[in-house]
Amino acid sequence: MEQTVDTTTQSTGAGQISIEARVSDLVRLGIIGLFAYWTMTLIAPFALIISWAAILAVALFPMFATFSRLIGNRPVIAAIVIVAGCLVLIIAPLALVAVNFADTVEPLIGRLRTGEFTLPAAPDAIRDWPVIGERLHDIWNRLAGDLASTIIKFQAPILEVMGAVVTKLASIGGDVLRFVVSIMLSGLFLTQSTRLAAAIQVLASRVAGDKGVGFARLAGTTVRNVSRGVIGVAFLQALLCGLCFAVFDVPARGALTFVVFLLCVMQLGPALVLLPLVVWAWFSWPFASAFAFTCLAVPISIVDNILKPIMMARGLSTPMPVILIGVIGGTLSHGLLGLFLGPVVLSVFFELLRAWAWPPAIVEGSEHDRPPAFSSETKRAG
């Protein structure tokens, strides 16, 4: 009888201890969640800057490591040189294109608001085109004549869209400044790349074990592929197009360069802009100028086919719609910085989601892509 009472007492005590342990765990989780929420609230204004700085650091690490070895293992000097080069090569053209784009779009918006925007009449030279010349000339003139009534009919939604565009244009200066801060912060991340990579590996291992390490490696590889093979090549093509437009004094060159960059990021290529410009040049410019512009436009249109296999560690498997949604969503949500950040973040999420659904993708990534997030030195540092 006494043994039965003791057993009951022990089970009751164990139940109380179990309940107390659960309450203690809930309290600890609540405190951790509170501090996590508080921390996220504090760093939310800097989240975009820190995220883009981390992406730049991952993308630029191979260049940083090679240059640091060449100058005698001096990471601080290497980071300063790389940051200065990025500020000169990226920020200056980006600021010029943004300002020129704003100067071009604002008068167009003003003309749309007042209803003064009209399409020019079709050039008479189009009539001489074989087969389609006469019909194309008539369609062009008909569209130019009906444009005013079309704008009046859809005036309210057009004004709403134009208001949003004006708001985005007004924030371009702030976006460029955030871009500058991100590049400078990426230099700090590069100098601490070994420690940061070791911390990422430990954190990924604590969260998901070996699979977490594989996810970290896959994320690093995807960041490099998208940032260098997609955004890097798109930026280079847009820069070449902008220089070509400036040399030949193409009108609205800032807006056209921005459109070229968007098309290149979306993997559509610059031909959608360059081809109509080439046709326009042959009908508007002297023979020598049109021929020279064509000789420059054709190589620029196909240079991505040569650069992408060189700049990407392996073929990019992210579908084009994912990158397209990232570009549009990032631009609408976060402006100019989101244009770069959106496709990278969405591509990383897509690759991690696919690796989680089909685990062999992680194994393949871990075999070919040794660096977890920054470099292979993390394994030795860990």
Side-chain angles (χ1 to χ4, degrees), residues 341-374:
L341 192 62
V344 177
V345 173
L346 203 60
S347 298
V348 170
F349 175 75
F350 175 82
E351 293 294 340
L352 293 179
L353 182 63
R354 187 170 62 174
W356 173 74
W358 291 278
I362 299 180
V363 178
E364 180 182 357
S366 61
E367 290 178 356
H368 295 283
D369 309 307
R370 290 295 177 190
F374 282 95

Side-chain angles (χ1 to χ4, degrees), residues 4 12 30 67 108 128 154 157 184 203 227-228 253 259 293:
T4 304
T12 303
F67 185 65
L108 176 61
D128 299 331
F154 298 98
M184 297 177 67
L203 180 62
S227 59
R228 295 186 306 185
R253 52 185 174 271
V259 173
F293 181 77

Side-chain angles (χ1 to χ4, degrees), residues 272-311:
L272 294 177
V273 173
L274 291 179
L275 184 58
L277 284 178
V278 168
V279 175
W280 170 76
W282 280 101
F283 283 95
S284 304
W285 294 352
F287 174 82
S289 299
F291 180 76
F293 181 77
T294 304
C295 291
L296 290 176
V298 172
I300 292 175
S301 300
I302 62 176
V303 70
D304 58 327
N305 296 324
I306 301 174
L307 291 178
K308 283 182 181 178
I310 297 175
M311 299 184 71

Side-chain angles (χ1 to χ4, degrees), residues 7-44:
T7 304
T8 304
T9 304
Q10 291 177 359
S11 61
T12 303
Q16 292 178 350
I17 294 174
S18 176
I19 294 175
E20 291 178 357
R22 291 179 180 179
V23 171
S24 299
D25 291 339
L26 290 176
V27 171
R28 283 194 290 267
L29 289 176
I31 294 174
I32 293 173
L34 177 62
F35 274 97
Y37 172 76
W38 200 358
T39 302
M40 291 300 298
T41 303
L42 293 175
I43 67 173

Side-chain angles (χ1 to χ4, degrees), residues 182-379:
S182 297
I183 291 178
M184 297 177 67
L185 186 59
S186 69
L188 178 61
F189 288 166
L190 286 174
T191 59
Q192 303 295 323
S193 57
T194 302
R195 294 181 181 180
L196 290 175
I200 290 173
Q201 183 179 15
V202 172
L203 180 62
S205 180
R206 290 293 298 271
V207 172
D210 293 337
K211 288 185 177 181
V213 177
F215 280 134
R217 292 174 178 170
L218 182 60
T221 301
T222 305
V223 166
R224 287 197 182 97
N225 280 339
V226 178
S227 59
R228 295 186 306 185
V230 176
I231 296 179
V233 174
F235 183 83
L236 180 59
Q237 280 187 294
L239 181 61
L240 293 176
C241 287
L243 292 175
C244 184
F245 297 159
V247 169
F248 289 93
D249 196 21
V250 176
R253 52 185 174 271
L256 291 175
T257 303
F258 187 75
V259 173
V260 166
F261 178 75
L262 287 178
L263 292 174
C264 291
V265 172
M266 295 175 187
Q267 306 297 289
L268 299 177
L272 294 177
V273 173
L274 291 179
L275 184 58
L277 284 178
V278 168
V279 175
W280 170 76
W282 280 101
F283 283 95
S284 304
W285 294 352
F287 174 82
S289 299
F291 180 76
F293 181 77
T294 304
C295 291
L296 290 176
V298 172
I300 292 175
S301 300
I302 62 176
V303 70
D304 58 327
N305 296 324
I306 301 174
L307 291 178
K308 283 182 181 178
I310 297 175
M311 299 184 71
M312 294 200 310
R314 62 176 183 172
L316 183 67
S317 56
T318 306
M320 187 181 68
V322 174
I323 297 177
L324 177 62
I325 294 173
V327 171
I328 299 175
T331 305
L332 294 178
S333 302
H334 305 294
L336 185 62
L337 194 60
L339 171 63
F340 299 89
L341 192 62
V344 177
V345 173
L346 203 60
S347 298
V348 170
F349 175 75
F350 175 82
E351 293 294 340
L352 293 179
L353 182 63
R354 187 170 62 174
W356 173 74
W358 291 278
I362 299 180
V363 178
E364 180 182 357
S366 61
E367 290 178 356
H368 295 283
D369 309 307
R370 290 295 177 190
F374 282 95
S375 69
S376 58
E377 297 177 2
T378 306
K379 191 173 182 180

